[in-house]
Amino acid sequence: MAFGSLILAVSLLAITPARALDPDRRIDQFRHTRWTLGDGAPGNVRAIAQGRDGFLWLGTSTGLFRFDGIRFERIVPDDDDPKRSLQVTALLVAKNGDLWVGYDYGGIGLLRGGHLRGANPFKALGGVYQIVEDADGTIWVAADGNGKIMLSRLARGRWSQFGPQQGVGGVQAGSVVPLPDGSINILSPTTPALGSTPLRKAPGSTRFAPWSETLTNFADLARDRDGRLWLADNNGLRRLGGGSRVPLAGVTTPFLQRHLRFDRDGALWIAGQDDGLVRAVFRDGRVVGPPDRFSERNGLTGPVAMSLFEDREGNIWVGTESGLDRFSASNVIQPHNSGAMVTGFAGDPRSDQVFFGGVEGVFRMARGMSEPELIYPKRSLGVLCGDGRRLLAISMDDNTLLSVSPSGRVASARDVGGPLLITCTLDAAGTFWASIKEAYRLNGDKLQKVDAPWSTGKYDGNLAHLKADAGGGLIAGRSLFGVQQVNGDRSQVLWRAEEGRIGATNLFVTAGKRIYQGAQKGLGLWDGHRHLQLSERNYPILAGVTGVHSSSDGSTWLIGATGIARVSTADLDAAFRSPGRPLPYRRFGYEEGFRARSNILDTNDIVEDSTGRIWFATNRGVAWIDRDHVAHNGMAPNVVLLNLTSGPVNATSFDKPIRLKAGTQRVQIAFTALSLTDAKQNRFRYRLLGADRDWVDSGAERQALYINLGPGTYRFEVIGSNNDGVWTRRAAGLTFTIAPRFYQTRWFLAACLALLGTLIWLLYRWRLRTIALRTRGQFEARLAERERIARELHDTLMQGFQGVVLRFQSAANLLTPGTRAHTAIESALERADDVLVEGRDRIRELRRDVEPLDLAAILTATVEQLVPPAIQWNVRRVGQERKVCAPVADEISRVVAEAVANVARHANAQLLEVGISFGADRLSITVEDDGQGIPDSIRAAGRRVGHFGLVGMRERAMQLAGSLEIGSRSPAGTLIKLIVPARVAYPD
């Protein structure tokens, strides 16, 4: 069948994504990164695929590996089949996310849900060399059995084999290529003697039919972005349906296939060739020039590219027998044969040409040139300056003035007399200046010494730096003096050497009235008024600056000891105004190792030409960046959690919360970001909800460690960015729970709180008991003392007094009645009898205070004595009445008496009620009235000025180990409440 229908079918495919690898560049101008055995890479990488999560899968001689750009991780099958080879020869990531694995022998395997297991539907025969999926999701497996193809198919969950009845019988093994129209093509070599021919199964057909195209060995087929089909075999590369052939080297490595792949930029990459990796560029459906080659001699990890793959970011991956290679877009480009540079740049920014000095002499470079052109041989060249029309070349031997034609060639050269010089510049008037210890000006064919105002009058170091400024003058720097601006006979000191904090100067660059100072330890700026400095201690990117250029697009380019960087000019100005303020920047060429040259003096290693190309003098020679076409990786990485480890726990599934045992002290979480363009520059931020207050910036670190976490549930989240700072919008996360120990549970806390409450209550009760017992003891001591006094009075004083009275009575009986003496003695005896009666009454009262009393009766008598008739009153009893200790009753009656007296004097009340509540643990007495109440100020102060009634009431309450509360009564009046502990109030 002709190929016309195939071409029509594939033309319906969607347009490929945006450009990643510039077709106009050679392979060696891309960023090439390699991993070999010493980097941990496996060998014999025969197959490459990329999972939906972004991992790169490698089929190698030691099994299946996955790669995140940093770490190679081997995936061990769950089942150990001794009949299965370690060598993986084919990989397919199916549309449903399954990873199919083909082995050199032993059939196929399937990785699903993180488990790799054998998946042979039939007895495994031959070596699997290809697994593909067609447009409707059918899986095709091709194996090589003694040089013959063995084809199987998985369709709608059922496996079937294709043999002679389906048109596949005795056909030599060849690439199996599904096309978008649903056809399946077997690119077997045309060998009539063996009955072998290319085959095609049309959509809907159950049989394969022969093609009319003649193929040789190791054929493969690919479709370009316009839908054209290209075929490559040992006869060369050609377009199906017509066109000339492009010769290709042969494929002679056993069991290896040729692989074709068009990248998203339209270039065709070819693997499997004997001469390494091949790349062909197309325009208008035709190959442009001879294919480009990249071999082991250029840095490929092996002599043969065994596998080929383009990832979702546009990187090209190549597997070899010795490792893995990656080709990525590079913004820093170098020409062929870029030798070492010995000077900075010279030229006119209005031209697309730049000039520089190399080991062999003066070179010219311009857009469109593949390598620098030597325009003037000159050994031991050290200094070069000029504007592109005239160049002053200073060497160790002599000085030469070059006249340059518009084409960039040297039109004439003449010797210039003068001493050995270390720097030169061309001012705005077209005059060349040079210097070493003093300044020299070119006059005719000789560099003549210029005196004042250049001289400082003493030796202040070499005049090591000269730069023309925008005002027609010169900037001059002496190592021991400082920097001055010279214009004609006038000289102004801008800053002195002792004011510098950023080390020795490398260069001066003028930008209008501004002067940048590149130094070993930072960057300086003269803003027209003052000298500002930024230290590399705060900004490491400013270490050893040898080039500064402010571009018209608002950016400033720098090259220094740490590489090439671009910053916003506005951000740089802000940092100069506020040193220490963050300075965002983007680095270029760091992975390729581009940085500033070493051991240079007074040069600017950055210039911009008229086309917007930024040129750099680097440690690797001349290089450039196309300012207006800087590649940017805009694809945010997929952040993947790898595992959580804690003691014996190693969790890799995070669908459910992970439960950790009580007492867990250490939790470590590993993660990665699957941006493969430059994985070392991926950055991460994470947080642990429940522990971290904010996001933690971990830089390039790919794990988080937490120690001494308490029990509870935690949520870990992590986000990442790619090499160009594009961050993921959605965080990857997992949840884990640390079980509490018994003493960390809520039950234990509740028990502790209950126990604490009980202890506090017991302490409170003990305290009340102690106070009550002490108070009770005090009252009992008072009662005992009264008993003793009563007894002593009765037994001593009363008895003695009685005896005295009796003797006086006897004396009175001896006197004549009616006499004055008899009458006086009788009167005294009568008075003595009264004293005896009163003494017996007092002794009786002392004896009575020892016995418990009826509190209600006492309070009733007290109220009755104090309340006027206008006030209605009563004494209310609550609870079972009990006798009260006499001293306590006395103190209570005095408190109540004071309260009732206040009501009678101040309240203007109509009702008064005294309440007695006999409680089991307390005795409560209340005095309530409906009067005008006690003013808030007096209640807050606890007393009325000059009065001590309320104070005395509180003191008596304290003596009883009780409390006194004074408050308001609703709707009006006052409520006084006295509480006495039962142990104090009651005798039993």
Side-chain angles (χ1 to χ4, degrees):
M1 180 179 290
F3 282 96
S5 59
L6 301 182
I7 298 172
L8 177 63
V10 298
S11 64
L12 301 177
L13 282 183
I15 299 175
T16 56
R19 184 172 103 178
L21 299 181
D22 190 343
D24 294 332
R25 299 185 188 176
R26 303 183 313 276
I27 298 178
D28 62 5
Q29 290 181 323
F30 297 131
R31 180 157 53 93
H32 173 221
T33 310
R34 44 183 273 149
W35 293 267
T36 62
L37 183 63
D39 305 305
N44 221 41
V45 182
R46 294 274 298 274
I48 307 175
Q50 188 173 28
R52 293 198 299 186
D53 56 6
F55 274 108
L56 200 69
W57 294 95
L58 308 175
T60 78
S61 59
T62 49
L64 178 67
F65 282 76
R66 74 174 184 179
F67 183 50
D68 65 352
I70 298 292
R71 177 171 171 262
F72 294 90
E73 180 184 2
R74 185 184 177 193
I75 307 300
V76 179
D78 292 355
D79 52 338
D80 185 11
D81 185 354
K83 298 181 179 180
R84 184 169 55 214
S85 171
L86 279 178
Q87 175 69 62
V88 174
T89 53
L91 292 174
L92 170 70
V93 176
K95 296 175 183 177
N96 65 354
D98 289 344
L99 177 64
W100 292 90
V101 182
Y103 297 94
D104 190 34
Y105 59 82
I108 60 175
L110 177 64
L111 179 69
R112 178 184 291 170
H115 296 278
L116 176 60
R117 299 184 178 93
N120 291 320
F122 313 108
K123 183 179 180 180
L125 298 174
V128 176
Y129 66 87
Q130 200 167 6
I131 306 176
V132 297
E133 184 176 23
D134 64 20
D136 63 2
T138 298
I139 304 297
W140 297 83
V141 179
D144 185 341
N146 296 321
K148 305 298 182 181
I149 189 170
M150 304 171 66
L151 191 64
S152 302
R153 179 182 70 176
L154 173 62
R156 298 178 180 86
R158 297 183 62 183
W159 283 95
S160 57
Q161 291 178 301
F162 278 67
Q165 294 182 350
Q166 290 81 27
V168 182
V171 177
Q172 288 185 265
S175 294
V176 178
V177 181
L179 291 178
D181 66 345
S183 65
I184 301 296
N185 306 274
I186 302 175
L187 306 183
S188 299
T190 304
T191 312
L194 299 177
S196 180
T197 182
L199 301 175
R200 178 176 185 268
K201 186 182 80 67
S205 174
T206 59
R207 288 182 54 83
F208 282 85
W211 274 358
S212 60
E213 188 76 16
T214 299
L215 304 180
T216 65
N217 290 329
F218 306 106
D220 198 15
L221 187 68
R223 181 196 66 87
D224 67 18
R225 69 170 79 190
D226 296 318
R228 293 181 287 260
L229 291 175
W230 293 81
L231 180 70
D233 58 13
N234 281 352
N235 283 335
L237 174 67
R238 60 192 182 278
R239 181 165 62 89
L240 293 183
S244 59
R245 295 175 182 265
V246 177
L248 295 175
V251 177
T252 60
T253 305
F255 308 108
L256 197 63
Q257 289 183 298
R258 181 182 276 111
H259 298 285
L260 304 186
R261 179 177 289 273
F262 278 97
D263 65 23
R264 62 189 61 184
D265 300 305
L268 178 64
W269 298 77
I270 306 174
Q273 300 284 133
D274 289 346
D275 56 350
L277 181 65
V278 177
R279 178 172 176 265
V281 177
F282 294 78
R283 284 195 180 91
D284 300 325
R286 304 178 67 179
V287 178
V288 179
D292 189 16
R293 289 171 171 80
F294 194 90
S295 66
E296 190 174 22
R297 183 180 60 184
N298 303 110
L300 198 67
T301 54
V304 178
M306 306 178 74
S307 53
L308 187 63
F309 184 77
E310 182 184 28
D311 68 22
R312 63 187 60 176
E313 295 172 277
N315 304 302
I316 297 296
W317 296 85
V318 177
T320 73
E321 64 180 355
S322 301
L324 182 68
D325 297 77
R326 180 189 64 201
F327 296 90
S328 306
S330 175
N331 289 303
V332 183
I333 309 167
Q334 275 197 294
H336 273 309
N337 303 321
S338 178
M341 296 179 63
V342 297
T343 75
F345 292 104
D348 188 343
R350 296 169 296 181
S351 168
D352 67 345
Q353 300 184 109
V354 294
F355 302 88
F356 59 90
V359 175
E360 298 178 359
V362 179
F363 287 85
R364 177 182 75 95
M365 192 68 197
R367 181 180 288 272
M369 295 177 60
S370 61
E371 59 183 316
E373 177 186 1
L374 179 64
I375 62 171
Y376 186 74
K378 186 74 172 179
R379 291 287 180 177
S380 64
L381 186 64
V383 181
L384 183 71
C385 60
D387 60 0
R389 294 181 296 108
R390 294 184 302 153
L391 298 174
L392 179 59
I394 300 175
S395 72
M396 297 290 292
D397 302 322
D398 52 24
N399 309 314
T400 306
L401 183 64
L402 304 177
S403 295
V404 182
S405 68
S407 64
R409 273 70 177 182
V410 175
S412 64
R414 72 175 191 268
D415 291 338
V416 173
L420 176 65
L421 302 166
I422 58 175
T423 184
C424 71
T425 189
L426 181 67
D427 68 14
T431 300
F432 280 102
W433 297 79
S435 68
I436 182 167
K437 293 182 179 180
E438 303 294 342
Y440 294 82
R441 179 172 55 202
L442 181 62
N443 188 3
D445 292 337
K446 188 175 182 179
L447 287 164
Q448 296 179 337
K449 182 180 176 180
V450 179
D451 293 323
W454 299 90
S455 178
T456 63
K458 62 178 180 178
Y459 179 70
D460 284 318
N462 288 334
L463 188 57
H465 303 281
L466 281 180
K467 181 65 62 176
D469 65 18
L474 296 171
I475 308 299
R478 287 187 181 273
S479 56
L480 301 179
F481 173 76
V483 179
Q484 56 187 144
Q485 190 172 33
V486 179
N487 198 330
D489 295 332
R490 300 189 309 276
S491 175
Q492 175 190 0
V493 176
L494 302 184
W495 68 88
R496 296 189 178 275
E498 56 268 21
E499 300 173 14
R501 303 188 309 273
I502 54 177
T505 299
N506 292 331
L507 77 154
F508 292 117
V509 174
T510 59
K513 295 183 179 180
R514 300 154 62 95
I515 304 170
Y516 286 107
Q517 173 199 14
Q520 292 185 8
K521 295 184 178 182
L523 182 68
L525 171 66
W526 175 261
D527 64 357
H529 305 283
R530 54 180 178 164
H531 182 216
L532 308 173
Q533 300 171 81
L534 296 177
S535 171
E536 54 85 22
R537 291 194 174 193
N538 297 326
Y539 306 99
I541 197 67
L542 301 181
V545 174
T546 64
V548 183
H549 173 70
S550 294
S551 187
S552 59
D553 61 358
S555 60
T556 296
W557 294 84
L558 304 163
I559 184 170
T562 60
I564 300 171
R566 182 183 64 185
V567 301
S568 164
T569 303
D571 289 341
L572 184 60
D573 290 344
F576 273 117
R577 290 192 300 269
S578 302
R581 177 174 178 166
L583 178 61
Y585 62 87
R586 181 178 177 186
R587 298 177 66 186
F588 296 86
Y590 48 88
E591 191 173 73
E592 296 101 307
F594 287 104
R595 59 176 179 81
R597 298 180 296 142
S598 302
N599 303 318
I600 65 168
L601 181 66
D602 194 35
T603 180
N604 185 22
D605 285 354
I606 305 178
V607 294
E608 181 176 359
D609 66 20
S610 62
T611 68
R613 180 175 286 186
I614 311 293
W615 296 87
F616 299 88
T618 78
N619 60 312
R620 297 178 54 185
V622 65
W624 74 84
I625 293 177
D626 195 336
R627 185 196 69 186
D628 298 325
H629 298 89
V630 173
H632 178 74
N633 184 5
M635 179 176 289
N638 180 35
V639 178
V640 177
L641 296 165
L642 300 178
N643 61 8
L644 179 150
T645 57
S646 178
V649 177
N650 184 17
T652 57
S653 178
F654 312 110
D655 296 335
K656 299 179 180 179
I658 302 166
R659 300 189 180 277
L660 303 178
K661 67 179 182 179
T664 295
Q665 296 293 315
R666 178 187 177 95
V667 177
Q668 183 169 300
I669 303 170
F671 45 83
T672 190
L674 296 174
S675 173
L676 304 179
T677 299
D678 188 357
K680 291 181 180 179
Q681 294 301 313
N682 295 344
R683 293 294 180 265
F684 300 90
R685 295 173 185 159
Y686 63 80
R687 64 181 177 183
L688 184 63
L689 300 178
D692 295 327
R693 294 183 178 180
D694 204 350
W695 291 95
V696 177
D697 192 340
S698 65
E701 189 67 29
R702 296 168 184 255
Q703 65 179 15
L705 175 64
Y706 291 92
I707 57 176
N708 298 327
L709 291 174
T713 298
Y714 299 89
R715 175 71 179 174
F716 179 79
E717 295 180 343
V718 58
I719 57 176
S721 70
N722 66 11
N723 59 302
D724 280 336
V726 178
W727 288 88
T728 54
R729 296 183 178 180
R730 187 174 183 179
L734 62 85
T735 301
F736 65 90
T737 300
I738 299 178
R741 294 184 186 273
F742 169 71
Y743 59 79
Q744 295 174 319
T745 62
R746 292 184 177 180
W747 292 107
F748 181 80
L749 178 60
C752 289
L753 291 176
L755 178 60
L756 180 61
T758 302
L759 290 175
I760 293 175
W761 180 79
L762 291 175
L763 181 62
Y764 172 72
R765 295 290 297 176
W766 174 82
R767 179 63 177 167
L768 287 181
R769 178 184 176 88
T770 301
I771 295 174
L773 290 176
R774 184 170 61 246
T775 304
R776 180 72 171 268
Q778 291 173 352
F779 282 113
E780 288 177 351
R782 287 171 59 185
L783 292 176
E785 182 65 16
R786 287 189 179 192
E787 287 183 340
R788 188 188 66 79
I789 293 173
R791 186 168 55 250
E792 292 296 328
L793 286 175
H794 180 271
D795 294 343
T796 57
L797 182 62
M798 292 300 295
Q799 292 295 337
F801 193 74
Q802 181 69 31
V804 171
V805 171
L806 289 176
R807 295 189 67 176
F808 270 98
Q809 183 65 50
S810 298
N813 292 335
L814 297 177
L815 295 176
T816 304
T819 62
R820 290 181 63 187
H822 185 272
T823 302
I825 290 175
E826 287 292 337
S827 177
L829 288 174
E830 288 178 1
R831 177 59 184 155
D833 288 339
D834 292 338
V835 171
L836 285 173
V837 172
E838 185 176 354
R840 290 190 183 97
D841 290 340
R842 289 299 180 185
I843 292 173
R844 190 179 301 111
E845 288 180 3
L846 287 174
R847 290 281 186 179
R848 185 189 63 185
D849 287 347
V850 176
E851 301 298 327
L853 301 176
D854 182 354
L855 181 62
I858 294 174
L859 296 185
T860 299
T862 300
V863 175
E864 188 174 11
Q865 293 177 3
L866 298 174
V867 176
I871 299 176
Q872 298 182 15
W873 63 274
N874 73 301
V875 176
R876 176 173 51 86
R877 303 168 183 83
V878 178
Q880 184 177 359
E881 290 192 50
R882 301 173 65 179
K883 296 290 185 179
V884 177
C885 295
V888 176
D890 183 59
E891 296 292 338
I892 292 174
S893 68
R894 294 177 185 275
V895 172
V896 172
E898 180 66 29
V900 172
N902 286 336
V903 173
R905 290 193 298 267
H906 308 297
N908 294 324
Q910 296 180 356
L911 296 175
L912 172 67
E913 181 179 84
V914 177
I916 307 173
S917 177
F918 297 93
D921 60 344
R922 66 179 63 182
L923 173 65
S924 301
I925 296 92
T926 58
V927 179
E928 298 181 73
D929 68 76
D930 63 350
Q932 61 187 13
I934 299 175
D936 293 339
S937 60
I938 296 176
R939 190 166 60 248
R943 58 179 292 183
R944 187 191 302 269
V945 178
H947 295 74
F948 301 95
L950 296 179
V951 176
M953 294 168 66
R954 294 186 186 277
E955 291 175 348
R956 292 182 183 276
M958 293 177 62
Q959 289 179 358
L960 295 173
S963 62
L964 183 72
E965 299 175 4
I966 302 176
S968 298
R969 179 178 178 273
S970 180
T974 302
L975 171 62
I976 298 176
K977 186 173 184 179
L978 172 65
I979 299 175
V980 181
R983 292 184 179 276
V984 175
Y986 306 135
D988 51 359

